[in-house]
Amino acid sequence: MKLKVCGMKYRENIETVAGLQPDYLGFIFYEKSPRNFNQDIPELPETIKKTGVFVDASIDFILEKVEKYNFKAIQLHGNESAEYCKELANTINRSDESGRNKIEIFKVFSIKDEFDFEILNPYEGIVDYFLFDTKGKEKGGNGYTFDWNVLKNYNSTTPFILSGGIGLQEIEKIKAILKTDLPIYAVDVNSKLEIKPGLKNIRDLEEFKNKIAVIPA
């Protein structure tokens, strides 16, 4: 299972978090977010996939950021349609022989107590991963989890990323859900492992990474 750390903002903190070798680091380009990113990204190890996070942005805006920062993944956190996602994938025009996008595309869907998984059908075969976050006041970073029991009704083979208020207190819940046959690709952490918006708590993040690293696959 992969680890994505999202909402990075401060240069020194970015470099320190990168030293922990997460699989993905997320940078948010949404002016209403307290974690909005508007600076240069320091040099990172090639093993870390830099991820641009966007909310209902134009495709041109996303392409501009992809070219500037050399993103390897794009996370769509707004109301982007399947048609939009297809146009973005075709515009990036970097699919490999397997049909997957070389620049990965994550499509976010927010959940609270229930969710109609039929909504995902138009996105199948277009995006690489779904990301399930907590429905709340903010576009991410709400600090609490949704009811993971909802995922028992997930009937797709598309792997997904589990997000929304995940921190050290959720380790046992992660252990439990990984015992199911759900196609969980990664966990995404943000606000629960922060000192303030955009500034990650290195000690807690390292503890979290070490604990999920020993969870049996």
Side-chain angles (χ1 to χ4, degrees):
M1 185 179 62
K2 306 291 187 183
L3 174 63
K4 176 175 174 286
V5 182
C6 199
M8 303 305 302
K9 190 169 183 177
Y10 301 99
R11 184 180 184 88
E12 185 176 342
N13 193 238
I14 292 168
E15 293 174 332
T16 307
V17 171
L20 299 178
Q21 288 288 324
D23 300 286
Y24 295 84
L25 278 183
F27 301 86
I28 297 171
F29 296 89
Y30 182 55
E31 290 185 355
K32 294 181 181 180
S33 171
R35 301 170 184 84
N36 185 51
F37 190 80
N38 57 7
Q39 55 184 294
D40 292 331
I41 299 176
E43 187 173 347
L44 301 178
E46 287 294 321
T47 53
I48 298 175
K49 293 184 179 180
K50 291 181 288 187
T51 305
V53 181
F54 303 91
V55 179
D56 297 320
S58 71
I59 289 178
D60 285 344
F61 180 78
I62 293 177
L63 292 178
E64 174 194 330
K65 300 304 180 186
V66 168
E67 291 177 8
K68 179 176 181 179
Y69 296 110
N70 193 27
F71 286 133
K72 300 302 182 185
I74 299 299
Q75 180 172 317
L76 302 173
H77 217 299
N79 298 308
E80 297 88 1
S81 67
E83 290 76 16
Y84 173 98
C85 294
K86 187 174 184 178
E87 183 180 353
L88 175 64
N90 289 338
T91 303
I92 290 174
N93 196 26
R94 296 184 182 181
S95 61
D96 59 24
E97 292 180 358
S98 71
R100 300 185 69 82
N101 300 303
K102 285 189 177 179
I103 297 179
E104 299 169 357
I105 299 177
F106 309 160
K107 180 66 187 84
V108 178
F109 294 90
S110 297
I111 300 175
K112 191 173 183 182
D113 300 319
E114 57 185 9
F115 187 74
D116 179 9
F117 287 100
E118 296 296 316
I119 293 171
L120 307 179
N121 290 345
Y123 297 86
E124 298 281 1
I126 297 173
V127 303
D128 297 285
Y129 304 100
F130 296 124
L131 186 151
F132 297 126
D133 197 3
T134 303
K135 181 180 289 186
K137 182 180 178 181
E138 306 297 336
K139 290 285 188 180
N142 287 288
Y144 55 92
T145 61
F146 64 89
D147 183 359
W148 292 359
N149 286 317
V150 173
L151 296 172
K152 292 177 181 178
N153 296 319
Y154 186 71
N155 58 4
S156 171
T157 57
T158 299
F160 66 83
I161 299 165
L162 188 58
S163 184
I166 297 175
L168 290 168
Q169 294 77 17
E170 282 65 49
I171 294 295
E172 293 304 315
K173 286 178 63 179
I174 293 171
K175 288 180 181 179
I177 198 168
L178 286 179
K179 291 179 181 178
T180 69
D181 58 359
L182 290 167
I184 301 172
Y185 172 70
V187 291
D188 177 29
V189 297
N190 190 350
S191 59
K192 287 287 284 289
L193 295 174
E194 285 184 329
I195 297 168
K196 66 178 185 179
L199 185 67
K200 306 311 177 196
N201 186 316
I202 301 302
R203 184 179 63 182
D204 287 354
L205 184 58
E206 183 173 21
E207 182 180 350
F208 181 88
K209 185 175 186 293
N210 290 339
K211 286 184 174 180
I212 66 168
V214 298
I215 297 176

